[in-house]
Amino acid sequence: MDSSDSYVNDLMEQEKALEAIRHKLALLPDLPGCYLMKNKEGTIIYVGKAKVLKNRVRSYFTGSHDGKTQRMVSDIRDFEYIVTGSNTEALILECNLIKTHHPRYNVLLKDDKTFPYIKITNEPHPRLEVTRRVLKDKAKYFGPYPNAYAAQQTKKLLDRMYPLRKCNVMPKEVCLYYHMGQCMAPCVKEIPQSSYDEITGEITSFLSGGHEEIKKELQRKMEEAAENLYFERAKELRDQIINIDALMVKQKITMADAKDRDVFGFAVDKGWMCVQILYVRQGKMIERHASVFPFYGEEYGDFLSYVTQYYSDNPALPQEILLPEMKDFPAEDVETAHPVETAEGDNLEGLDPESGAAALHQWLGVKALVPHRGLKRQMVIMAEDNAKVTLDEKFKLIERDEERTVKAAGNLGQHIGMETLSRIEAFDNSNIQGTNPVSAMVVFIDGKPAKKEYRKYKVRTVEGPDDYDTMREVIRRRYERVLKENLPRPDLIIVDGGKGQISAAIDVLENELGLYIPVGGLVKDAKHKTAQLMVGEPPEPVHLPRDSQEFYLLQRIQDEVHRFAITFHREQRAKSMVVSRLDSIPGIGEKRRKMLLKHFGSLKKIKEASVEDFRPLSIGDKLANQIINALQDEES
């Protein structure tokens, strides 16, 4: 089937699916709930929530959308929906569905973006630790901290101030921490529970924002130690006070009250969203955190989805959450706002009880507000402004990077004597003592890798480690296909090596295929690093400054093609080792080999298995013994 037939079939299949969707749209209820969009494989690609399912789901299939949303809509072939009792239930259900199915078009808080917490462990002899895993283990968690450094610095200060045990495994004798006064030595002493309760209470107070009270107590102890001529102890206490001040001096804004708040703002541009969180602790803004990601749905809905996921595993909630206003919302979400009771001085207008803020408040039990004026509104605006700046920086860096790479490719062309240099195709061969010889090709367009155009080659006609003949075979196979299928031709071909590889490539291109494409060779130094580029026939070195963008581009190309070739070679070598060791056993073909490896996981585990372990695979005792003996004999 050619590409035109495939395109027509895709259109027919899409139209048929849309017809079925139109029938389902007519049955949607006027109720809140969640909807799940699916692609042609039946995979869930997007999860959303709505106050009115009928209006929201219909909106995807009527009217026009921006480019990214349209891409998602073009992938939809079916949908499901779940009716909920309220907007709050829809918010929680959406969060759970996203975490279960990981849809490709949803905003996702990835595991590597989890925030660090400080934890007081629930043990007979508790410890302080920094963790990103929040467990239901009755421990006390404080945070989240915007980065690991902030959490580690705070823990470091607390470790010096409070003598909880530092060891993961209890030692048999006292350690240095005991002699430094930073541990009570539960390994050799009986520590009363009251001592631990007092310490954990003070740490809890400190981490909950009671820095001033802790400072006053340390000040009192320091003066007392100085009066009693314990000057070393007084100095230690003074240093602790200085460290607390240093930790809290980062504040940007001071609120009139001393509440802990998380202030959210977001910005969108070119299909990307940035969510900015300002952390206010004890009325002082101490830190901020930004997350940048592509989004495909309705912007305020995706922002609320991020906030919901952020709090779904957060055991340390603030006293108040401040959210931005919903500016451009869909028509079906417009409802009359009913006034709700607010704390005195909140400077709020009415909140819709079915809004995202109200849903968060009902779910978390934490006041979630959308301020319209006053200092709280200024803080939300600050979060929004920071989000805009972060997005602008991202796009400026991308533009700058593109300008540099395009310019580097153009300058490289000028050094070689070419008017234009856009497309570069680079080759590298890989073998170990002639075994499993392979080659790989990478493509760079305007200085950037085009990974969809990378190609791998198993060498067919060359026996042993002959780099020249390998180069001839691969160049022949690649550019025969380029001619046959009328594929884009490169402006420059780069091979890994010097004069011999260049001559081999030029010989095939010009004398066999009638192609006249410049060929360059990348020569490495004794440390296997890019040393110089050679071009021409006979090849001559191209003199490039080592600190130039052009030389850096060549290094990236050489590193990338080498990485791609080595990875492919390792895959082939690993496969051939498995094939030779299992396929040499009578009664084991490809099907059984795959079945064995899938069941046991590795050759090592097959070798260590008992005869009984093979029975679930319908392999008799005789053949099982043959497999085990063959693998053990081969190793010996």
Side-chain angles (χ1 to χ4, degrees), residues 493-522:
I493 296 168
I494 291 179
V495 297
D496 185 51
K499 296 179 180 179
Q501 279 88 346
I502 295 172
S503 297
I506 290 175
D507 179 43
V508 172
L509 288 167
E510 295 184 359
N511 298 327
E512 294 186 28
L513 304 175
L515 287 172
Y516 294 87
I517 300 171
V519 178
L522 285 174

PDB file of all heavy atoms in Angstrom, residues 493-522:
ATOM      1  N   ILE A 493      28.719  14.703   3.527  1.00  0.00           N
ATOM      2  CA  ILE A 493      28.778  13.381   4.174  1.00  0.00           C
ATOM      3  C   ILE A 493      30.031  13.370   5.045  1.00  0.00           C
ATOM      4  O   ILE A 493      31.110  13.772   4.592  1.00  0.00           O
ATOM      5  CB  ILE A 493      28.839  12.248   3.136  1.00  0.00           C
ATOM      6  CG1 ILE A 493      27.547  12.210   2.308  1.00  0.00           C
ATOM      7  CG2 ILE A 493      29.069  10.899   3.818  1.00  0.00           C
ATOM      8  CD1 ILE A 493      27.632  11.319   1.079  1.00  0.00           C
ATOM      9  N   ILE A 494      29.873  12.921   6.292  1.00  0.00           N
ATOM     10  CA  ILE A 494      31.019  12.836   7.205  1.00  0.00           C
ATOM     11  C   ILE A 494      31.219  11.378   7.596  1.00  0.00           C
ATOM     12  O   ILE A 494      30.266  10.691   7.996  1.00  0.00           O
ATOM     13  CB  ILE A 494      30.797  13.702   8.462  1.00  0.00           C
ATOM     14  CG1 ILE A 494      30.838  15.185   8.100  1.00  0.00           C
ATOM     15  CG2 ILE A 494      31.846  13.401   9.528  1.00  0.00           C
ATOM     16  CD1 ILE A 494      30.605  16.120   9.269  1.00  0.00           C
ATOM     17  N   VAL A 495      32.448  10.900   7.458  1.00  0.00           N
ATOM     18  CA  VAL A 495      32.775   9.532   7.858  1.00  0.00           C
ATOM     19  C   VAL A 495      33.743   9.596   9.040  1.00  0.00           C
ATOM     20  O   VAL A 495      34.434  10.601   9.239  1.00  0.00           O
ATOM     21  CB  VAL A 495      33.390   8.720   6.696  1.00  0.00           C
ATOM     22  CG1 VAL A 495      32.394   8.571   5.575  1.00  0.00           C
ATOM     23  CG2 VAL A 495      34.681   9.360   6.191  1.00  0.00           C
ATOM     24  N   ASP A 496      33.777   8.527   9.804  1.00  0.00           N
ATOM     25  CA  ASP A 496      34.644   8.477  10.980  1.00  0.00           C
ATOM     26  C   ASP A 496      36.001   7.932  10.550  1.00  0.00           C
ATOM     27  O   ASP A 496      36.153   6.730  10.332  1.00  0.00           O
ATOM     28  CB  ASP A 496      34.015   7.590  12.060  1.00  0.00           C
ATOM     29  CG  ASP A 496      34.825   7.619  13.346  1.00  0.00           C
ATOM     30  OD1 ASP A 496      35.117   8.717  13.824  1.00  0.00           O
ATOM     31  OD2 ASP A 496      35.163   6.541  13.857  1.00  0.00           O
ATOM     32  N   GLY A 497      36.970   8.803  10.393  1.00  0.00           N
ATOM     33  CA  GLY A 497      38.288   8.348   9.957  1.00  0.00           C
ATOM     34  C   GLY A 497      38.954   9.343   9.035  1.00  0.00           C
ATOM     35  O   GLY A 497      38.419  10.431   8.759  1.00  0.00           O
ATOM     36  N   GLY A 498      40.101   8.956   8.513  1.00  0.00           N
ATOM     37  CA  GLY A 498      40.900   9.863   7.694  1.00  0.00           C
ATOM     38  C   GLY A 498      40.833   9.559   6.214  1.00  0.00           C
ATOM     39  O   GLY A 498      39.766   9.250   5.666  1.00  0.00           O
ATOM     40  N   LYS A 499      42.005   9.579   5.565  1.00  0.00           N
ATOM     41  CA  LYS A 499      42.072   9.521   4.107  1.00  0.00           C
ATOM     42  C   LYS A 499      41.495   8.224   3.536  1.00  0.00           C
ATOM     43  O   LYS A 499      40.829   8.241   2.495  1.00  0.00           O
ATOM     44  CB  LYS A 499      43.531   9.677   3.662  1.00  0.00           C
ATOM     45  CG  LYS A 499      44.122  11.036   4.015  1.00  0.00           C
ATOM     46  CD  LYS A 499      45.576  11.145   3.584  1.00  0.00           C
ATOM     47  CE  LYS A 499      46.144  12.518   3.941  1.00  0.00           C
ATOM     48  NZ  LYS A 499      47.570  12.652   3.561  1.00  0.00           N
ATOM     49  N   GLY A 500      41.757   7.082   4.194  1.00  0.00           N
ATOM     50  CA  GLY A 500      41.280   5.801   3.665  1.00  0.00           C
ATOM     51  C   GLY A 500      39.768   5.732   3.602  1.00  0.00           C
ATOM     52  O   GLY A 500      39.187   5.342   2.570  1.00  0.00           O
ATOM     53  N   GLN A 501      39.090   6.128   4.693  1.00  0.00           N
ATOM     54  CA  GLN A 501      37.612   6.089   4.716  1.00  0.00           C
ATOM     55  C   GLN A 501      37.013   7.096   3.729  1.00  0.00           C
ATOM     56  O   GLN A 501      36.023   6.813   3.061  1.00  0.00           O
ATOM     57  CB  GLN A 501      37.091   6.386   6.132  1.00  0.00           C
ATOM     58  CG  GLN A 501      37.133   5.192   7.061  1.00  0.00           C
ATOM     59  CD  GLN A 501      38.469   5.080   7.785  1.00  0.00           C
ATOM     60  OE1 GLN A 501      39.444   5.724   7.412  1.00  0.00           O
ATOM     61  NE2 GLN A 501      38.527   4.232   8.806  1.00  0.00           N
ATOM     62  N   ILE A 502      37.647   8.283   3.638  1.00  0.00           N
ATOM     63  CA  ILE A 502      37.139   9.295   2.696  1.00  0.00           C
ATOM     64  C   ILE A 502      37.246   8.771   1.266  1.00  0.00           C
ATOM     65  O   ILE A 502      36.288   8.859   0.475  1.00  0.00           O
ATOM     66  CB  ILE A 502      37.928  10.617   2.854  1.00  0.00           C
ATOM     67  CG1 ILE A 502      37.675  11.230   4.233  1.00  0.00           C
ATOM     68  CG2 ILE A 502      37.545  11.609   1.753  1.00  0.00           C
ATOM     69  CD1 ILE A 502      38.562  12.428   4.548  1.00  0.00           C
ATOM     70  N   SER A 503      38.376   8.204   0.913  1.00  0.00           N
ATOM     71  CA  SER A 503      38.585   7.686  -0.456  1.00  0.00           C
ATOM     72  C   SER A 503      37.612   6.550  -0.769  1.00  0.00           C
ATOM     73  O   SER A 503      37.075   6.478  -1.882  1.00  0.00           O
ATOM     74  CB  SER A 503      40.023   7.184  -0.614  1.00  0.00           C
ATOM     75  OG  SER A 503      40.927   8.253  -0.456  1.00  0.00           O
ATOM     76  N   ALA A 504      37.367   5.670   0.219  1.00  0.00           N
ATOM     77  CA  ALA A 504      36.430   4.559   0.002  1.00  0.00           C
ATOM     78  C   ALA A 504      35.028   5.086  -0.278  1.00  0.00           C
ATOM     79  O   ALA A 504      34.328   4.603  -1.182  1.00  0.00           O
ATOM     80  CB  ALA A 504      36.424   3.643   1.230  1.00  0.00           C
ATOM     81  N   ALA A 505      34.599   6.089   0.493  1.00  0.00           N
ATOM     82  CA  ALA A 505      33.255   6.645   0.306  1.00  0.00           C
ATOM     83  C   ALA A 505      33.135   7.352  -1.045  1.00  0.00           C
ATOM     84  O   ALA A 505      32.152   7.159  -1.784  1.00  0.00           O
ATOM     85  CB  ALA A 505      32.941   7.617   1.452  1.00  0.00           C
ATOM     86  N   ILE A 506      34.137   8.162  -1.396  1.00  0.00           N
ATOM     87  CA  ILE A 506      34.103   8.902  -2.675  1.00  0.00           C
ATOM     88  C   ILE A 506      34.110   7.936  -3.856  1.00  0.00           C
ATOM     89  O   ILE A 506      33.403   8.141  -4.862  1.00  0.00           O
ATOM     90  CB  ILE A 506      35.292   9.886  -2.764  1.00  0.00           C
ATOM     91  CG1 ILE A 506      35.081  11.037  -1.767  1.00  0.00           C
ATOM     92  CG2 ILE A 506      35.454  10.435  -4.176  1.00  0.00           C
ATOM     93  CD1 ILE A 506      36.243  12.011  -1.685  1.00  0.00           C
ATOM     94  N   ASP A 507      34.866   6.850  -3.754  1.00  0.00           N
ATOM     95  CA  ASP A 507      34.954   5.857  -4.831  1.00  0.00           C
ATOM     96  C   ASP A 507      33.573   5.288  -5.147  1.00  0.00           C
ATOM     97  O   ASP A 507      33.170   5.200  -6.311  1.00  0.00           O
ATOM     98  CB  ASP A 507      35.918   4.742  -4.406  1.00  0.00           C
ATOM     99  CG  ASP A 507      36.036   3.663  -5.475  1.00  0.00           C
ATOM    100  OD1 ASP A 507      36.135   4.010  -6.671  1.00  0.00           O
ATOM    101  OD2 ASP A 507      36.013   2.475  -5.118  1.00  0.00           O
ATOM    102  N   VAL A 508      32.818   4.903  -4.099  1.00  0.00           N
ATOM    103  CA  VAL A 508      31.473   4.332  -4.306  1.00  0.00           C
ATOM    104  C   VAL A 508      30.529   5.397  -4.850  1.00  0.00           C
ATOM    105  O   VAL A 508      29.776   5.164  -5.809  1.00  0.00           O
ATOM    106  CB  VAL A 508      30.934   3.746  -2.985  1.00  0.00           C
ATOM    107  CG1 VAL A 508      29.473   3.329  -3.148  1.00  0.00           C
ATOM    108  CG2 VAL A 508      31.776   2.556  -2.542  1.00  0.00           C
ATOM    109  N   LEU A 509      30.544   6.583  -4.249  1.00  0.00           N
ATOM    110  CA  LEU A 509      29.615   7.645  -4.662  1.00  0.00           C
ATOM    111  C   LEU A 509      29.816   8.031  -6.117  1.00  0.00           C
ATOM    112  O   LEU A 509      28.847   8.084  -6.897  1.00  0.00           O
ATOM    113  CB  LEU A 509      29.799   8.878  -3.763  1.00  0.00           C
ATOM    114  CG  LEU A 509      29.297   8.770  -2.325  1.00  0.00           C
ATOM    115  CD1 LEU A 509      29.814   9.926  -1.482  1.00  0.00           C
ATOM    116  CD2 LEU A 509      27.766   8.746  -2.273  1.00  0.00           C
ATOM    117  N   GLU A 510      31.057   8.302  -6.517  1.00  0.00           N
ATOM    118  CA  GLU A 510      31.301   8.845  -7.858  1.00  0.00           C
ATOM    119  C   GLU A 510      31.371   7.747  -8.924  1.00  0.00           C
ATOM    120  O   GLU A 510      30.758   7.874  -9.993  1.00  0.00           O
ATOM    121  CB  GLU A 510      32.592   9.661  -7.850  1.00  0.00           C
ATOM    122  CG  GLU A 510      32.492  10.901  -6.966  1.00  0.00           C
ATOM    123  CD  GLU A 510      33.740  11.769  -7.020  1.00  0.00           C
ATOM    124  OE1 GLU A 510      34.701  11.394  -7.733  1.00  0.00           O
ATOM    125  OE2 GLU A 510      33.768  12.815  -6.339  1.00  0.00           O
ATOM    126  N   ASN A 511      32.099   6.671  -8.630  1.00  0.00           N
ATOM    127  CA  ASN A 511      32.355   5.665  -9.675  1.00  0.00           C
ATOM    128  C   ASN A 511      31.251   4.636  -9.806  1.00  0.00           C
ATOM    129  O   ASN A 511      31.099   4.020 -10.861  1.00  0.00           O
ATOM    130  CB  ASN A 511      33.692   4.956  -9.405  1.00  0.00           C
ATOM    131  CG  ASN A 511      34.857   5.933  -9.448  1.00  0.00           C
ATOM    132  OD1 ASN A 511      34.823   6.898 -10.208  1.00  0.00           O
ATOM    133  ND2 ASN A 511      35.868   5.702  -8.617  1.00  0.00           N
ATOM    134  N   GLU A 512      30.474   4.391  -8.754  1.00  0.00           N
ATOM    135  CA  GLU A 512      29.385   3.411  -8.841  1.00  0.00           C
ATOM    136  C   GLU A 512      28.012   4.063  -8.982  1.00  0.00           C
ATOM    137  O   GLU A 512      27.153   3.561  -9.703  1.00  0.00           O
ATOM    138  CB  GLU A 512      29.384   2.511  -7.593  1.00  0.00           C
ATOM    139  CG  GLU A 512      30.604   1.623  -7.459  1.00  0.00           C
ATOM    140  CD  GLU A 512      30.485   0.661  -6.284  1.00  0.00           C
ATOM    141  OE1 GLU A 512      29.338   0.295  -5.916  1.00  0.00           O
ATOM    142  OE2 GLU A 512      31.528   0.283  -5.708  1.00  0.00           O
ATOM    143  N   LEU A 513      27.807   5.196  -8.270  1.00  0.00           N
ATOM    144  CA  LEU A 513      26.464   5.787  -8.221  1.00  0.00           C
ATOM    145  C   LEU A 513      26.355   7.098  -8.991  1.00  0.00           C
ATOM    146  O   LEU A 513      25.246   7.616  -9.169  1.00  0.00           O
ATOM    147  CB  LEU A 513      26.056   6.018  -6.750  1.00  0.00           C
ATOM    148  CG  LEU A 513      26.100   4.776  -5.843  1.00  0.00           C
ATOM    149  CD1 LEU A 513      25.802   5.158  -4.398  1.00  0.00           C
ATOM    150  CD2 LEU A 513      25.098   3.728  -6.323  1.00  0.00           C
ATOM    151  N   GLY A 514      27.469   7.655  -9.412  1.00  0.00           N
ATOM    152  CA  GLY A 514      27.416   8.911 -10.167  1.00  0.00           C
ATOM    153  C   GLY A 514      26.977  10.095  -9.327  1.00  0.00           C
ATOM    154  O   GLY A 514      26.387  11.050  -9.849  1.00  0.00           O
ATOM    155  N   LEU A 515      27.259  10.058  -8.021  1.00  0.00           N
ATOM    156  CA  LEU A 515      26.888  11.161  -7.119  1.00  0.00           C
ATOM    157  C   LEU A 515      28.142  11.946  -6.744  1.00  0.00           C
ATOM    158  O   LEU A 515      29.173  11.367  -6.421  1.00  0.00           O
ATOM    159  CB  LEU A 515      26.234  10.616  -5.840  1.00  0.00           C
ATOM    160  CG  LEU A 515      24.818  10.062  -5.974  1.00  0.00           C
ATOM    161  CD1 LEU A 515      24.399   9.395  -4.664  1.00  0.00           C
ATOM    162  CD2 LEU A 515      23.830  11.169  -6.331  1.00  0.00           C
ATOM    163  N   TYR A 516      28.035  13.264  -6.796  1.00  0.00           N
ATOM    164  CA  TYR A 516      29.175  14.120  -6.451  1.00  0.00           C
ATOM    165  C   TYR A 516      28.788  14.961  -5.229  1.00  0.00           C
ATOM    166  O   TYR A 516      28.299  16.084  -5.352  1.00  0.00           O
ATOM    167  CB  TYR A 516      29.576  14.980  -7.653  1.00  0.00           C
ATOM    168  CG  TYR A 516      30.101  14.136  -8.792  1.00  0.00           C
ATOM    169  CD1 TYR A 516      29.233  13.592  -9.742  1.00  0.00           C
ATOM    170  CD2 TYR A 516      31.465  13.834  -8.884  1.00  0.00           C
ATOM    171  CE1 TYR A 516      29.703  12.776 -10.764  1.00  0.00           C
ATOM    172  CE2 TYR A 516      31.947  13.023  -9.908  1.00  0.00           C
ATOM    173  CZ  TYR A 516      31.068  12.491 -10.838  1.00  0.00           C
ATOM    174  OH  TYR A 516      31.549  11.683 -11.843  1.00  0.00           O
ATOM    175  N   ILE A 517      28.976  14.347  -4.065  1.00  0.00           N
ATOM    176  CA  ILE A 517      28.646  14.990  -2.786  1.00  0.00           C
ATOM    177  C   ILE A 517      29.947  15.107  -1.995  1.00  0.00           C
ATOM    178  O   ILE A 517      30.698  14.136  -1.890  1.00  0.00           O
ATOM    179  CB  ILE A 517      27.622  14.150  -1.989  1.00  0.00           C
ATOM    180  CG1 ILE A 517      26.314  13.983  -2.778  1.00  0.00           C
ATOM    181  CG2 ILE A 517      27.331  14.790  -0.628  1.00  0.00           C
ATOM    182  CD1 ILE A 517      25.340  12.981  -2.158  1.00  0.00           C
ATOM    183  N   PRO A 518      30.252  16.290  -1.443  1.00  0.00           N
ATOM    184  CA  PRO A 518      31.487  16.432  -0.649  1.00  0.00           C
ATOM    185  C   PRO A 518      31.518  15.441   0.517  1.00  0.00           C
ATOM    186  O   PRO A 518      30.502  15.209   1.177  1.00  0.00           O
ATOM    187  CB  PRO A 518      31.417  17.873  -0.127  1.00  0.00           C
ATOM    188  CG  PRO A 518      30.486  18.576  -1.046  1.00  0.00           C
ATOM    189  CD  PRO A 518      29.492  17.558  -1.515  1.00  0.00           C
ATOM    190  N   VAL A 519      32.689  14.845   0.740  1.00  0.00           N
ATOM    191  CA  VAL A 519      32.864  13.884   1.839  1.00  0.00           C
ATOM    192  C   VAL A 519      33.965  14.397   2.755  1.00  0.00           C
ATOM    193  O   VAL A 519      35.048  14.765   2.283  1.00  0.00           O
ATOM    194  CB  VAL A 519      33.231  12.480   1.316  1.00  0.00           C
ATOM    195  CG1 VAL A 519      33.454  11.515   2.488  1.00  0.00           C
ATOM    196  CG2 VAL A 519      32.136  11.947   0.398  1.00  0.00           C
ATOM    197  N   GLY A 520      33.685  14.416   4.051  1.00  0.00           N
ATOM    198  CA  GLY A 520      34.673  14.827   5.040  1.00  0.00           C
ATOM    199  C   GLY A 520      34.951  13.685   6.012  1.00  0.00           C
ATOM    200  O   GLY A 520      34.102  12.815   6.223  1.00  0.00           O
ATOM    201  N   GLY A 521      36.123  13.701   6.593  1.00  0.00           N
ATOM    202  CA  GLY A 521      36.484  12.696   7.590  1.00  0.00           C
ATOM    203  C   GLY A 521      36.850  13.369   8.898  1.00  0.00           C
ATOM    204  O   GLY A 521      37.548  14.390   8.900  1.00  0.00           O
ATOM    205  N   LEU A 522      36.346  12.818  10.006  1.00  0.00           N
ATOM    206  CA  LEU A 522      36.672  13.360  11.325  1.00  0.00           C
ATOM    207  C   LEU A 522      37.777  12.510  11.943  1.00  0.00           C
ATOM    208  O   LEU A 522      37.576  11.327  12.226  1.00  0.00           O
ATOM    209  CB  LEU A 522      35.429  13.359  12.228  1.00  0.00           C
ATOM    210  CG  LEU A 522      34.405  14.458  11.915  1.00  0.00           C
ATOM    211  CD1 LEU A 522      33.156  14.280  12.763  1.00  0.00           C
ATOM    212  CD2 LEU A 522      34.983  15.839  12.140  1.00  0.00           C
TER     213      LEU A 522
END
